[in-house]
Amino acid sequence: MDRSSPYDSPNPHRLYRDPQRGVVGGVCAGIADYFGFRPGLVRLALVLGLFFFMPPVILAYVLAVLILPVKPPAVYRNPEEEAFWRGVSIKPDRTLAGLTQRFRDFEKRVGNLEAHVASKEYELNRAIRNLDR
């Protein structure tokens, strides 16, 4: 019996620590991966934050190391799935517009197929094929 919450999202795009690409704990690499930045920029922001707000930044970093889960080895099945879920998380309106267009195209193709199957030409071709048997 599946006991997952009905509010759970199938979106695997979450904030993780990435110790494989990280320097200390992988927090900056995980944040960079989540937002689509280069890890060097996030590390630079962290160093600048240390100069101005050392205690809160250190506390936040330690908490992030303790709280954030480690990134699983295979979060997405393929690059297309990764691009889709990143788009859902970052620009949901654009993703929705893209899906709407794909469904419109699909509906148009199905309509064309229905029109062909319902046409007299299709009936005539079917009758001719049945004569050959």
Side-chain angles (χ1 to χ4, degrees):
M1 180 181 203
D2 185 23
R3 293 188 175 243
S4 63
S5 168
Y7 303 108
D8 285 345
S9 171
N11 186 349
H13 185 72
R14 295 194 173 39
L15 184 59
Y16 296 109
R17 286 187 305 120
D18 192 355
Q20 302 296 328
R21 292 180 38 220
V23 177
V24 179
V27 174
C28 291
I31 291 172
D33 186 48
Y34 182 77
F35 289 108
F37 299 140
R38 293 191 324 235
L41 293 175
V42 178
R43 290 181 186 118
L44 179 64
L46 178 77
V47 170
L48 290 174
L50 283 173
F51 281 121
F52 298 109
F53 311 104
M54 185 177 282
V57 170
I58 291 174
L59 179 66
Y61 195 89
V62 169
L63 284 174
V65 168
L66 296 174
I67 293 173
L68 291 178
V70 175
K71 183 177 180 179
V75 178
Y76 307 102
R77 286 179 273 193
N78 53 44
E80 292 83 23
E81 181 185 32
E82 180 178 2
F84 173 77
W85 286 116
R86 282 186 185 278
V88 168
S89 296
I90 296 170
K91 297 177 184 173
D93 54 336
R94 186 175 290 172
T95 304
L96 180 61
L99 285 174
T100 302
Q101 184 61 41
R102 288 177 74 180
F103 277 114
R104 283 185 186 142
D105 293 343
F106 179 71
E107 183 178 18
K108 185 177 178 182
R109 289 173 50 200
V110 169
N112 290 340
L113 180 64
E114 287 175 345
H116 175 70
V117 169
S119 71
K120 295 289 183 184
E121 180 183 341
Y122 179 80
E123 290 293 326
L124 180 62
N125 287 337
R126 195 165 92 185
I128 291 171
R129 272 194 314 258
N130 287 340
L131 288 176
D132 291 340
R133 290 184 188 168

